[in-house]
Amino acid sequence: MVPEGTRYFLPPEARLRREMEERLFRLLFAWGYEPVELPALEFYDPSHPLAERAFKLVDKTGEVLALRSEFTTAVAGLLRSNGGPPSNRPVRLQYAGTLWLREATAELGRSREFRQVGAELVGVSSPQADAEVLELAWECLKEVGFPEARIEVGLPALVRDLLEATGLPEDRKERLRQAIHRKNSPELSALLEAYGVYPELARTLLALPDLYGGREVLEEARRLPLSSKARADLDWLEAVLNLLPEVPLLLDLGRARLLGFYTGLNFQAYTPDFGLPLLGGGRYDGALLPYAVGFALGLERVMEALRLPTSETPPQALALDRDLARRLREEGLRVELAWTSDLEELRAYARQRGIRWLALEGRLEELAPA
C-alpha cells in the first residue's frame, strides 16, 4: 500500500520514464540550456503560490519547511541566491525532478507526487525569446512521441488589459475573467450588462471566448475596438508567430489563466484523445524575476497519454561466461548473468523470459522459442 496520489513504477515504466528524461536532457542541452539541481526541501513561505497545498514539515529547530511544489519559484530562488538574475543577457536553465502537493487538482490527474522536466529562459523579454521557448516546447513534444500534438497559445496580457479598461473593482473583474476563461458567453453577457460596461468594450470582451483557431484569429481580433495597449499585445504575439511558420499553433485569445502571474503569452499542449495538457508555460516578467519565460512537461502525464506497453523487455542474452558477457555489453547488448550452472534450468528460464541467447564457454547458443 502507498499513500493516495502516489504510486509504484515497475521496471518497464521506470526504465521508459528514465529514458524519456535523458532524451529531454540531451535535447535541452543541445539548445544551450544548462542543468540545475534544486532542493526538495524549502522554507515554508505563506506567500508562495501553492502554499496552501504544499506538504509542510517541522525540523528539529522548529523551522517550518515545505516539500517543493513547483519549479518556477525554486529557479527564481536559485538565481536570487547566486548574485541575482541577469540583466539584459539570456540565461538558459533546465531542470528535472519530483514535486509534491497535499491536494492535487483534476488537471494534475489527482497525483500528489509527480515528476516534471522544464526549461526557463531568463534575463530577456522579446518576441524572439518567446518564439524560442515555444519552438523548444514543440521539439520536446516530438522527442517524447507526440508529433500530432498542438500547442494552444493564449494572451493573458490582452485579457488583463481589456479588463483593466473597464475600471471595475477587482472582484467584478475576477468574475468576468472566470466567465471568459470558461467560455461561458451567456454569463459573460449578463455580467457585462449588469456592471454597465461601455458598449464597445463590452463587445470586445464578449468576443474573446470565440477567438479560437488558426492564425486568422489575429485578424479577427484586430477588427475589434481595442485600446493601444491591447493592440501592442497583439503586435507582440504576431511577431512571435512570424518566427514560427512551421510550428503547429492554435490561438486561444479567450485564455484567461493566472492574469496576475503571466504577463505576456501562455500556452498548453494537447494531443488527440487525451483531455489533460502535456506541458504548459508562458512569460511571467516581474512575477518572480524581471524577465523570464519557460515551460514544464509532466512525465507521468506523457506516459499516460502514450499508453505505453507495460510488459518488460527481456535482455538479449543470459551468460555463464562472464568474459563473454562483458564483451557483449561493450557491443551494446543487454546481458544478465546466470545464477546457477544447471544448463537445463537456465535454458528453461531464458525461454520463459524470451531471452534469445545463452552465452557459455566463449560462444553463443541460440535458444528455440518456448
Side-chain angles (χ1 to χ4, degrees):
M1 298 290 291
V2 294
E4 181 183 357
T6 66
R7 56 165 296 189
Y8 294 114
F9 286 90
L10 297 175
E13 288 180 293
R15 175 177 57 82
L16 290 167
R17 192 167 72 146
R18 180 73 61 85
E19 289 174 358
M20 192 177 297
E21 194 171 305
E22 290 172 353
R23 291 203 306 271
L24 289 170
F25 166 81
R26 290 192 294 270
L27 172 63
L28 293 169
F29 190 76
W31 279 62
Y33 287 74
E34 291 285 350
V36 292
E37 296 282 346
L38 301 158
L41 280 176
E42 304 171 332
F43 289 113
Y44 175 71
D45 178 2
S47 66
H48 189 284
L50 294 177
E52 294 303 312
R53 294 165 57 199
F55 279 101
K56 290 187 286 187
L57 308 90
V58 179
D59 71 8
K60 64 181 181 181
T61 68
E63 186 79 55
V64 180
L65 306 177
L67 281 174
R68 184 178 59 212
S69 56
E70 54 88 35
F71 276 111
T72 305
T73 304
V75 169
L78 176 148
L79 290 168
R80 287 194 295 266
S81 299
N82 289 271
S87 177
N88 299 320
R89 66 176 182 86
V91 169
R92 295 172 171 87
L93 303 174
Q94 63 162 298
Y95 56 78
T98 303
L99 301 171
W100 296 267
L101 288 172
R102 285 193 303 115
E103 301 173 16
T105 65
E107 188 174 274
L108 288 170
R110 295 179 296 279
S111 294
R112 296 198 298 168
E113 180 182 54
F114 51 99
R115 197 161 179 85
Q116 287 185 347
V117 174
E120 306 289 338
L121 175 51
V122 178
V124 292
S125 185
S126 67
Q128 292 88 339
D130 286 358
E132 175 182 325
V133 168
L134 274 168
E135 184 175 3
L136 182 53
W138 169 235
E139 292 297 327
C140 286
L141 289 167
K142 292 191 292 182
E143 184 67 29
V144 296
F146 293 103
E148 77 287 358
R150 294 294 180 268
I151 299 176
E152 294 185 359
V153 181
L155 194 57
L158 173 68
V159 182
R160 184 183 59 250
D161 290 342
L162 289 171
L163 289 177
E164 286 295 328
T166 66
L168 293 170
E170 289 302 319
D171 60 333
R172 294 189 170 190
K173 286 189 292 188
E174 175 60 17
R175 290 190 68 185
L176 290 172
R177 182 199 72 80
Q178 292 179 12
I180 291 168
H181 189 65
R182 293 196 305 267
K183 301 189 184 302
N184 190 334
S185 295
E187 179 187 0
L188 178 59
S189 178
L191 288 172
L192 291 168
E193 184 176 355
Y195 296 160
V197 175
Y198 183 68
E200 276 204 339
L201 181 55
R203 180 162 68 90
T204 301
L205 288 165
L206 195 56
L208 288 177
D210 295 323
L211 290 177
Y212 180 89
R215 302 181 188 220
E216 71 281 356
V217 167
L218 268 180
E219 291 310 311
E220 294 179 37
R222 289 190 184 282
R223 288 195 289 269
L224 296 168
L226 297 171
S227 66
S228 58
K229 199 171 184 181
R231 290 192 181 279
D233 295 331
L234 292 176
D235 289 343
W236 182 292
L237 178 57
E238 185 172 19
V240 172
L241 297 179
N242 288 340
L243 294 167
L244 301 171
E246 304 301 323
V247 179
L249 301 174
L250 289 172
L251 300 186
D252 182 4
L253 299 188
R255 181 187 296 274
R257 295 179 70 247
L258 301 174
L259 297 190
F261 183 79
Y262 288 115
T263 58
L265 57 77
N266 89 312
F267 55 91
Q268 290 181 309
Y270 293 87
T271 193
D273 304 321
F274 191 75
L276 297 173
L278 303 177
L279 62 74
R283 175 161 294 281
Y284 54 99
D285 293 351
L288 296 169
L289 295 163
Y291 304 113
V293 60
F295 68 90
L297 177 147
L299 287 179
E300 288 83 3
R301 185 79 56 76
V302 164
M303 291 184 67
E304 185 178 350
L306 283 171
R307 297 179 174 87
L308 295 168
T310 57
S311 58
E312 185 179 351
T313 302
Q316 287 101 335
L318 176 64
L320 275 162
D321 186 328
R322 289 175 173 268
D323 290 335
L324 180 54
R326 191 175 301 111
R327 293 198 300 273
L328 292 172
R329 291 194 194 100
E330 290 171 355
E331 294 173 8
L333 297 183
R334 189 166 174 235
V335 183
E336 280 188 10
L337 291 177
W339 69 95
T340 177
S341 58
D342 186 329
L343 289 178
E344 289 310 311
E345 185 177 357
L346 293 175
R347 289 188 181 107
Y349 167 79
R351 290 191 183 99
Q352 187 270 329
R353 287 283 312 282
I355 299 172
R356 183 177 179 184
W357 304 97
L358 195 63
L360 66 164
E361 298 178 350
R363 62 185 178 85
L364 288 175
E365 174 187 313
E366 187 172 6
L367 299 169

